[in-house]
Amino acid sequence: MKQYALVKRGNYVRLGNELGRGGEGNVFEIVGQSEQVAKIYNRPPDEQKIHKLRVMTDYATSSLLKIAAWPMDLLTDKNSAIRGFIMPRVNARRDIHELYSPKSRADSFPEADFRFLIHVGANIARAFAVVHEHGHVIGDVNHGNLLIAPNGTVILIDCDSFQINAGDHVYTCDVGVPLFTAPELQCQSFKGFERKQNHDRFGLAVLLFHLLYMGRHPLCWTLFR
């Protein structure tokens, strides 16, 4: 089993089974810890990314950890190089798109009715509000960045891509999905571009429309209904 050192706590953790794979890295169980998991990058992050992750671990408040898989501490390898971080474990949750159509909803959320959709939508808005209250911006809003529990609670994931406000410096979110991007930002390069919370709110509105109108986009609904 691979072993990594925690930067803040100073002790070591051992990785267990792989839980998931992504474009940047993989997520693993931590031996002896059921409430946390580790994300290990495929390639060591650059200095800018490391600085951003350090700031995020400093800003890991209880309210953020409740609604997001937020970095809690950094992990270093035997050469003291940053290779990843630990974050809260997300258990028994589904992708939001499984709530869109009646068929997938019946399979994944058999007890869900329209009231449940409203409940989920309100929880998504609350999660966005918590991030904004801390001065940050999600940036890359899309339906792959949040997971829904059977009780309708919401967890934001892929938080290391968020735009983080560190007071004297802003670590931007350099990616985005056109479907959830505000019209004024279409064809905009996000590299180094500082987005506003209102840009998140556009993406939030699209998410909520998808949720309540079976996956339809609001602009297509307006044009073709």
Side-chain angles (χ1 to χ4, degrees), residues 161-212:
S161 72
F162 288 8
Q163 177 177 296
I164 303 301
N165 184 354
D168 59 344
H169 185 81
V170 174
Y171 297 91
T172 57
C173 172
D174 295 338
V175 292
V177 176
L179 188 66
F180 298 90
T181 299
E184 65 272 20
L185 299 187
Q186 294 292 332
C187 303
Q188 166 76 46
S189 171
F190 294 125
K191 184 72 173 177
F193 179 78
E194 186 176 339
R195 285 185 259 202
K196 306 301 180 186
Q197 292 180 356
N198 266 347
H199 297 141
D200 273 0
R201 295 184 183 110
F202 178 90
L204 171 62
V206 175
L207 275 174
L208 297 182
F209 199 94
H210 279 331
L211 179 65
L212 300 178

Side-chain angles (χ1 to χ4, degrees), residues 16-149:
N17 295 327
E18 182 181 295
L19 299 174
R21 288 176 171 264
E24 282 191 319
N26 304 332
V27 177
F28 297 87
E29 291 180 331
I30 299 175
V31 175
Q33 296 188 33
S34 60
E35 300 299 319
Q36 298 168 2
V37 294
K39 178 174 180 177
I40 304 299
Y41 291 107
N42 297 327
R43 298 178 180 178
D46 60 25
E47 285 301 312
Q48 177 80 354
K49 183 77 167 186
I50 292 171
H51 291 161
K52 179 181 182 179
L53 291 171
R54 288 187 188 278
V55 168
M56 293 187 76
T57 61
D58 289 340
Y59 289 173
T61 65
S62 59
S63 55
L64 282 171
L65 293 173
K66 187 176 180 180
I67 56 89
W70 196 271
M72 303 168 67
D73 201 346
L74 302 185
L75 295 169
T76 61
D77 62 18
K78 61 183 179 181
N79 299 316
S80 299
I82 301 294
R83 292 307 309 268
F85 58 86
I86 62 171
M87 58 186 175
R89 182 167 186 162
V90 180
N91 292 311
R93 292 175 186 266
R94 300 276 194 164
D95 293 336
I96 187 175
H97 67 76
E98 295 183 38
L99 276 170
Y100 290 173
S101 76
K103 184 178 186 306
S104 61
R105 192 185 311 150
D107 292 338
S108 302
F109 297 88
E111 303 299 321
D113 56 14
F114 196 75
R115 290 172 298 180
F116 183 79
L117 300 184
I118 297 295
H119 173 60
V120 169
N123 284 334
I124 296 172
R126 290 188 187 102
F128 274 56
V130 170
V131 174
H132 291 172
E133 286 165 3
H134 285 75
H136 311 312
V137 174
I138 294 170
D140 183 22
V141 176
N142 67 80
H143 53 211
N145 279 357
L146 49 93
L147 299 174
I148 313 298

